[in-house]
Amino acid sequence: MTDSDTVLRCEAVTRRFGGIRALKGVSVDIAKGEIFGLVGPNGSGKTTLVNCVTGFYPPQEGRILFEGADITGRKPHRIAAGGIARTFQNVALFKGMSVLENILMGRHNLMHPNPISSLFYPFLARGEEIAHRRKVEEIIDLLQLESVRDEAVDVIPLGLQKRVELARALAAEPRMLVLDEPMAGMNQEEKEYMVRFILDAHEALGLTVLMIEHHMDVVTAICGRVLVLNDGTSLALGPAREAIADPDVIAAYIGTSSDAA
């Protein structure tokens, strides 16, 4: 992979919490347009790495580069404005607001409110609001959320809530999308829908996707390559099926290779 192909580069990323080393010099490159999987047992460091990339927990050592620019230690809102959007393992929608309102919140980094434009709304602000709503309508159409657009997010099923969270991330017009266990808590039918919508968004919007996922059937179906973490270190990196079939990976999940056999 050449430097021009690389969208995200993590170089020897280390993150400590007190005396615990959650990440121990993890390095990985993700190519433009790739759907890249991040897998490993619970506590292996997957979410910590994603939090480092998105600015929630900056690494104490190492560097993170996005499109060639060093983003190590940047605040989350600056990273989001720079082109990386994410979803969360636990649904983090705004309760009491509608589906439409939640998706519109994803546009906040692209909005430019000020007292003057608000005062002269029909002349200065109305056009911008229409443009934002038009973009949101495109995402609602892409993810087939028309039937629940005016529903409160509190009352819709979990599978739809996850889809709304994906829509809110897409509303920010990212170039890279980070998904933290997008299938968690879903039944098989909901998983199949989510896979389809991730693939649709990837193709329609030309996204690079970094995805944490525990469902290996999903990982092998849509991820080109995966990084397997265990105890904060890189255990395997490569094509999804090959990396997951690595004896060391099987041992990390099950206990020993002989148990897997």
Side-chain angles (χ1 to χ4, degrees), residues 128-160:
E128 182 183 1
E129 181 177 341
I130 290 171
H132 286 305
R133 286 183 174 272
R134 185 179 295 120
K135 183 64 179 180
V136 167
E137 292 299 334
E138 292 173 2
I139 295 168
I140 287 174
D141 183 59
L142 177 65
L143 299 187
Q144 297 184 12
L145 290 166
E146 299 92 339
S147 63
V148 295
R149 54 181 291 120
D150 297 318
E151 297 285 341
V153 292
D154 314 58
V155 302
I156 62 176
L158 175 64
L160 282 172

Side-chain angles (χ1 to χ4, degrees), residues 14-23 57 60-61:
T14 296
R15 175 71 201 190
R16 294 180 295 273
F17 297 96
I20 298 173
R21 294 179 70 199
L23 293 173
Y57 299 138
Q60 285 104 354
E61 298 173 24

Side-chain angles (χ1 to χ4, degrees), residues 36-97:
F36 188 93
L38 188 58
V39 302
N42 288 330
S44 60
K46 305 182 300 296
T47 297
T48 301
L49 182 59
V50 160
N51 283 335
C52 286
V53 169
T54 54
F56 287 85
Y57 299 138
Q60 285 104 354
E61 298 173 24
R63 294 198 307 163
I64 299 172
L65 293 89
F66 177 61
E67 296 178 337
D70 191 339
I71 62 171
T72 313
R74 284 189 188 176
K75 298 296 184 183
H77 69 277
R78 289 189 59 206
I79 291 176
I84 301 178
R86 72 171 293 181
T87 65
F88 294 86
Q89 181 176 347
N90 298 315
V91 175
L93 297 172
F94 296 100
K95 305 300 183 182
M97 296 172 62

Side-chain angles (χ1 to χ4, degrees), residues 8 35 43 134 144 150 152 155 163 176 182 187 216 246 253:
L8 183 75
I35 300 181
R134 185 179 295 120
Q144 297 184 12
D150 297 318
V155 302
R163 205 187 307 174
M176 181 169 187
N187 60 37
M216 293 305 167
D246 187 291
Y253 272 97

Side-chain angles (χ1 to χ4, degrees), residues 6-232:
T6 302
V7 169
L8 183 75
R9 170 167 290 166
C10 298
E11 298 178 350
V13 173
T14 296
R15 175 71 201 190
R16 294 180 295 273
F17 297 96
I20 298 173
R21 294 179 70 199
L23 293 173
K24 306 170 184 175
V26 174
S27 297
V28 65
D29 288 355
I30 299 177
K32 182 178 181 179
E34 188 171 20
I35 300 181
F36 188 93
L38 188 58
V39 302
N42 288 330
S44 60
K46 305 182 300 296
T47 297
T48 301
L49 182 59
V50 160
N51 283 335
C52 286
V53 169
T54 54
F56 287 85
Y57 299 138
Q60 285 104 354
E61 298 173 24
R63 294 198 307 163
I64 299 172
L65 293 89
F66 177 61
E67 296 178 337
D70 191 339
I71 62 171
T72 313
R74 284 189 188 176
K75 298 296 184 183
H77 69 277
R78 289 189 59 206
I79 291 176
I84 301 178
R86 72 171 293 181
T87 65
F88 294 86
Q89 181 176 347
N90 298 315
V91 175
L93 297 172
F94 296 100
K95 305 300 183 182
M97 296 172 62
S98 71
V99 167
L100 175 62
E101 289 167 338
N102 266 273
I103 300 172
L104 274 168
M105 288 297 293
R107 304 286 298 171
H108 73 281
N109 273 328
L110 304 172
M111 295 179 178
H112 306 97
N114 64 74
I116 301 299
S117 62
S118 298
L119 183 62
F120 297 99
Y121 170 80
F123 309 102
L124 299 180
R126 187 168 183 269
E128 182 183 1
E129 181 177 341
I130 290 171
H132 286 305
R133 286 183 174 272
R134 185 179 295 120
K135 183 64 179 180
V136 167
E137 292 299 334
E138 292 173 2
I139 295 168
I140 287 174
D141 183 59
L142 177 65
L143 299 187
Q144 297 184 12
L145 290 166
E146 299 92 339
S147 63
V148 295
R149 54 181 291 120
D150 297 318
E151 297 285 341
V153 292
D154 314 58
V155 302
I156 62 176
L158 175 64
L160 282 172
Q161 289 184 20
K162 289 272 190 174
R163 205 187 307 174
V164 173
E165 193 165 51
L166 173 60
R168 185 177 61 187
L170 295 178
E173 297 187 34
R175 298 184 296 283
M176 181 169 187
L177 183 64
V178 179
L179 305 175
D180 191 349
E181 296 193 37
M183 320 292 173
M186 292 186 178
N187 60 37
Q188 186 61 33
E189 183 180 13
E190 290 171 331
K191 281 168 51 183
E192 290 172 0
Y193 272 113
M194 183 59 82
V195 166
R196 170 189 160 194
F197 290 123
I198 291 171
L199 291 174
D200 285 349
H202 171 258
E203 181 178 358
L205 304 176
L207 297 171
T208 302
V209 179
L210 170 61
M211 182 176 71
I212 296 175
E213 188 50 62
H214 278 295
H215 295 95
M216 293 305 167
D217 55 337
V218 173
V219 172
T220 55
I222 69 174
C223 295
R225 294 187 304 138
V226 302
L227 170 65
V228 185
L229 293 179
N230 186 42
D231 193 27

